[in-house]
């Protein structure tokens, strides 16, 4: 049980780092909406063009190269793209970011 719990914590930390990276990128560029639009485009293209990835390499991709829902989401290193985009847009439109 402990190895599974450790893995879930590790995946949660990885997802948190994705949000931090998005916020940092938005600060550097000064344009969170442009970053949100870029993520939208990447997400759309990822659905059109299959990516050759395995769970061992998924963390190196900007968008989640693996599909799956339900229980598989617990083990995802990527937060949902919709949530990443919403947080970036919230930086501009004053909705704030909750963790």
């Amino acid at each position: 049980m402990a190895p599974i719990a450790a893995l879930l914590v590790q995946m949660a930390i990885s997802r948190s780092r994705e949000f931090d990276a998005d916020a940092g990128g938005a600060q550097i560029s000064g344009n969170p909406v442009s970053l949100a639009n870029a993520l939208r485009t990447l997400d759309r293209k990822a659905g059109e063009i299959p990516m050759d990835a395995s769970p061992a390499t998924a963390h190196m991709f900007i968008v989640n190269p693996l599909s799956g829902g339900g229980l598989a989401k617990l083990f995802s290193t990527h937060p949902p793209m919709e949530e990443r985009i919403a947080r970036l847009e919230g930086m501009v439109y004053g909705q704030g970011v909750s963790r």
Side-chain angles (χ1 to χ4, degrees):
M1 185 67 156
I4 292 173
L7 183 61
L8 291 174
V9 169
Q10 184 180 16
M11 297 302 121
I13 290 169
S14 181
R15 290 188 295 271
S16 174
R17 286 183 181 158
E18 288 267 349
F19 289 129
D20 291 343
D22 290 344
Q27 283 182 327
I28 290 169
S29 72
N31 196 339
V33 173
S34 290
L35 183 54
N37 288 335
L39 288 176
R40 240 184 230 105
T41 300
L42 287 169
D43 190 45
R44 187 177 66 250
K45 291 297 182 184
E48 294 172 8
I49 303 168
M51 292 183 267
D52 186 22
S54 72
T57 61
H59 68 281
M60 293 190 268
F61 287 76
I62 294 172
V63 297
N64 189 358
L66 308 173
S67 61
L71 211 52
K73 284 185 175 183
L74 286 175
F75 296 97
S76 175
T77 57
H78 296 276
M81 189 62 74
E82 302 82 28
E83 190 173 344
R84 291 175 68 187
I85 291 168
R87 285 180 183 225
L88 286 166
E89 290 175 341
M91 292 174 76
V92 173
Y93 304 120
Q95 297 167 352
V97 176
S98 62
R99 287 190 177 206

